[in-house]
């Protein structure tokens, strides 16, 4: 392959120079940048307006709607076409059969069965539905329908706070008071509502007379309308009931406490005839991998909690109790140190006489008599009731368990290294050495052995 000589390789008679071409390109780019005009990105401004429910059929507040089975919901802008099971709820609950979108702004929802007769139905459109630009609505929307002749006027209202601030992301649920064999949250949810920007909430369109009901409140931090294990929550302390004379109740301000806030134990007055001395309570948190409590001496370190003394003649509040699942060790504080510990048999003779035990206290030391109360649930920041054992101990205490001796420290001996030029062991400390090029390197332990070994090195000499 031959290369063209200068003057003959191109029509212009000049050799093409790559540097000139690059320079020309750079000049053109600079010219374009100088002439560029800064403008908004194409497609218009970013959509930040939350969508809202614009119209509904049947309309809000409609009565005598009959056996309605199809609902039509129109929105203020184009929406993501999601199935209604994720964003539409009915109270009482109704089964959704299908969802069809007319364009992207109108959704038609069909139920399996028509609405029940003579019933108030609350329709809830949650904030999880998004518009076409993934913008959620500002909040959930609820409106009533009645298959009967009128909407009832019963109402429950209140406010939700945490610390000194209103809870603006609060959710409240209404349940019927369950029988003793069922937990309240295992029943169907009757109604749901949310707090406004000032923390206020209300359940409207309730029957009067009606109830009794329980109300659970929680802070919905993840905005999924479900109470999480680590979200602040509590139940209104009283059951609520409406009557014809009192169709509305103001519940007042309800305070939430964050997850992990210590609670209280409320111990009523009790009979201490089984032990005339001091009583104490030692609460313990029940962890997830709990295997039970083993009787033993209570730790007495500077950070360990001491037991709280109990007053038999009046109600006692035990503070700083771990929230959640708790067990409580109630014991006769024989030596008065507020610790479940070991005492001598002589100190136990008064208790043995009061309890009617036989005189069998022959061991050197005994664990103070104790009773174990299991299955307590302490809500964060609130009090749980603790009932004292009804009977004194019926048998003498067991001897104090002896703690096993700690294992002896394991000795680790360093084996000395063997020298290259003899059998006497020696330890070679780290040293700075020079390599073949005169550079210093830091070697740890034994220096590298010369190639061929010491005997070959002598033979080569």
């Amino acid at each position: 392959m031959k290369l063209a000589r200068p003057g003959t390789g191109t029509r212009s008679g000049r050799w093409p120079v790559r540097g000139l071409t690059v320079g020309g390109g750079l000049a053109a780019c600079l010219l374009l940048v100088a002439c560029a005009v800064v403008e908004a990105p194409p497609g218009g401004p970013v959509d930040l307006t939350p969508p809202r429910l614009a119209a509904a059929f049947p309309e809000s507040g409609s009565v005598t709607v009959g056996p309605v089975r199809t609902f039509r919901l129109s929105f203020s802008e184009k929406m993501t076409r999601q199935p209604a099971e994720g964003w539409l709820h009915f109270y009482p609950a109704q089964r959704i059969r299908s969802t069809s979108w007319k364009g992207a702004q109108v959704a038609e929802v069909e139920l399996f069965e028509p609405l029940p007769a003579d019933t108030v139905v609350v329709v809830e459109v949650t904030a999880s539905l998004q518009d076409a630009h993934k913008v959620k609505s500002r909040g959930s929307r609820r409106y009533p329908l009645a298959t009967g002749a009128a909407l009832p006027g019963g109402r429950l209202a209140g406010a939700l706070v945490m610390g000194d601030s209103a809870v603006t992301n609060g959710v409240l649920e209404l349940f019927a008071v369950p029988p003793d064999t069922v937990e309240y949250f295992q029943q169907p949810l009757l109604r749901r509502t949310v707090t406004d920007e000032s923390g206020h909430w209300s359940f409207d369109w309730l029957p009067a007379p009606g109830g009794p009901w329980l109300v659970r409140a929680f802070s919905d931090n993840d905005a999924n309308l479900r109470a999480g294990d680590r979200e602040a929550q509590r139940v209104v302390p009283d059951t609520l009931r409406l009557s014809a004379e009192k169709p509305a109740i103001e519940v007042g301000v309800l305070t939430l406490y964050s997850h992990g806030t210590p609670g209280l134990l409320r111990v009523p007055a009790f009979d201490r005839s089984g032990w005339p001395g001091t009583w104490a309570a030692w609460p313990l948190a029940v962890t997830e991998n709990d295997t039970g409590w083993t009787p033993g001496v209570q730790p007495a370190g500077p950070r360990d909690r001491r037991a709280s003394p109990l007053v038999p003649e009046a109600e006692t509040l035990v503070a700083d109790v771990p929230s959640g699942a708790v067990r409580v060790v109630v014991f006769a504080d024989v030596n008065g140190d507020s610790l479940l510990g070991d005492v001598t048999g002589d100190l136990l003779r008064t208790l043995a006489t009061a309890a009617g035990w036989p005189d069998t206290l022959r061991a050197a030391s005994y664990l103070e008599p104790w009773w174990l109360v299991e299955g307590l649930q302490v809500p964060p920041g609130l009090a749980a009731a603790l009932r004292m054992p009804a009977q004194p101990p019926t048998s003498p205490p067991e001897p104090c368990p002896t703690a096993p001796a700690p294992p002896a420290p394991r000795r680790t001996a360093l084996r000395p290294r063997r020298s290259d030029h003899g059998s006497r062991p020696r330890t070679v400390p780290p040293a700075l050495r020079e390599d073949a090029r005169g550079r210093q390197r830091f070697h740890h332990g034994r220096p590298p052995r010369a190639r061929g070994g010491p005997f070959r090195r002598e033979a080569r000499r």
Side-chain angles (χ1 to χ4, degrees), residues 15 52 84 110 117 170 172 220 243 247 249 325 329 361 413 432:
W15 188 270
R52 58 181 178 82
E110 184 180 0
L172 294 101
D220 191 20
S243 62
I249 292 180
V329 181
L361 303 176
L432 278 174

Side-chain angles (χ1 to χ4, degrees), residues 85-109:
E85 289 85 352
W87 53 269
L88 185 64
H89 303 282
F90 297 88
Y91 303 98
Q94 308 295 320
R95 293 192 306 146
I96 296 176
R97 182 174 184 176
S98 63
T99 307
S100 60
W101 286 87
K102 308 302 182 183
Q105 290 186 246
V106 179
E108 286 190 359
V109 180

Side-chain angles (χ1 to χ4, degrees), residues 75-295:
F75 297 91
S76 59
E77 55 183 294
K78 293 182 178 181
M79 310 295 289
T80 54
R81 304 179 184 185
Q82 304 175 19
E85 289 85 352
W87 53 269
L88 185 64
H89 303 282
F90 297 88
Y91 303 98
Q94 308 295 320
R95 293 192 306 146
I96 296 176
R97 182 174 184 176
S98 63
T99 307
S100 60
W101 286 87
K102 308 302 182 183
Q105 290 186 246
V106 179
E108 286 190 359
V109 180
E110 184 180 0
L111 306 180
F112 276 97
E113 301 293 338
L115 296 181
D118 198 18
T119 304
V120 176
V121 178
V122 176
V123 183
E124 178 186 56
V125 181
T126 67
S128 60
L129 186 61
Q130 302 174 347
D131 64 13
H133 297 97
K134 307 299 182 181
V135 179
K136 292 184 178 181
S137 60
R138 194 178 301 276
S140 55
R141 168 79 184 276
R142 292 161 189 84
Y143 64 92
L145 302 171
T147 55
L151 287 171
R155 188 172 189 264
L156 299 175
L160 207 59
V161 298
M162 181 184 292
D164 298 331
S165 304
V167 179
T168 59
N169 62 343
V171 176
L172 294 101
E173 299 171 328
L174 187 70
F175 295 91
V177 174
D180 295 337
T181 57
V182 179
E183 295 287 349
Y184 73 92
F185 51 82
Q186 295 176 340
Q187 301 183 114
L189 179 62
L190 300 181
R191 297 284 178 86
R192 181 164 57 194
T193 189
V194 296
T195 56
D196 58 16
E197 295 181 354
S198 61
H200 288 85
W201 58 269
S202 66
F203 288 108
D204 299 297
W205 319 298
L206 294 174
W213 298 301
L214 289 175
V215 175
R216 176 173 69 171
F218 61 92
S219 177
D220 191 20
N221 298 330
D222 52 7
N224 64 351
L225 297 178
R226 292 190 297 270
D229 294 337
R230 304 186 67 85
E231 290 177 331
Q233 57 183 291
R234 65 174 296 188
V235 177
V236 174
D238 299 324
T239 58
L240 305 173
R241 188 192 303 267
L242 298 178
S243 62
E245 296 77 18
K246 193 175 183 181
I249 292 180
E250 185 67 31
V251 178
V253 178
L254 190 68
T255 303
L256 294 182
Y257 298 91
S258 60
H259 177 78
T261 303
L264 304 169
L265 279 180
R266 181 179 287 111
V267 185
F270 59 93
D271 181 14
R272 65 171 184 177
S273 58
W275 164 240
T278 305
W279 293 72
W282 175 27
L284 296 168
V286 178
T287 60
E288 183 177 356
N289 299 323
D290 182 75
T291 58
W293 178 71
T294 302

Side-chain angles (χ1 to χ4, degrees), residues 295-373:
V297 176
Q298 182 179 353
R303 296 186 177 181
D304 293 319
R305 175 199 177 106
R306 290 182 175 267
S308 300
L310 303 179
V311 182
E313 296 78 14
E315 182 181 78
T316 305
L317 279 179
V318 179
D320 295 329
V321 178
S323 58
V326 171
R327 66 167 53 95
V328 180
V329 181
V330 180
F331 63 95
D333 193 11
V334 178
N335 56 7
D337 62 351
S338 298
L339 291 170
L340 177 62
D342 55 337
V343 292
T344 62
D346 295 338
L347 290 177
L348 284 179
R349 293 188 186 281
T350 304
L351 176 58
T353 303
W357 296 336
D359 189 6
T360 58
L361 303 176
R362 299 290 183 265
S365 63
Y366 294 85
L367 193 64
E368 292 173 312
W370 52 269
W371 299 263
L372 189 62
V373 181

Side-chain angles (χ1 to χ4, degrees), residues 55-63 65 143-146:
F57 174 81
E59 296 181 355
S60 173
S62 299
V63 297
V65 296
Y143 64 92
L145 302 171

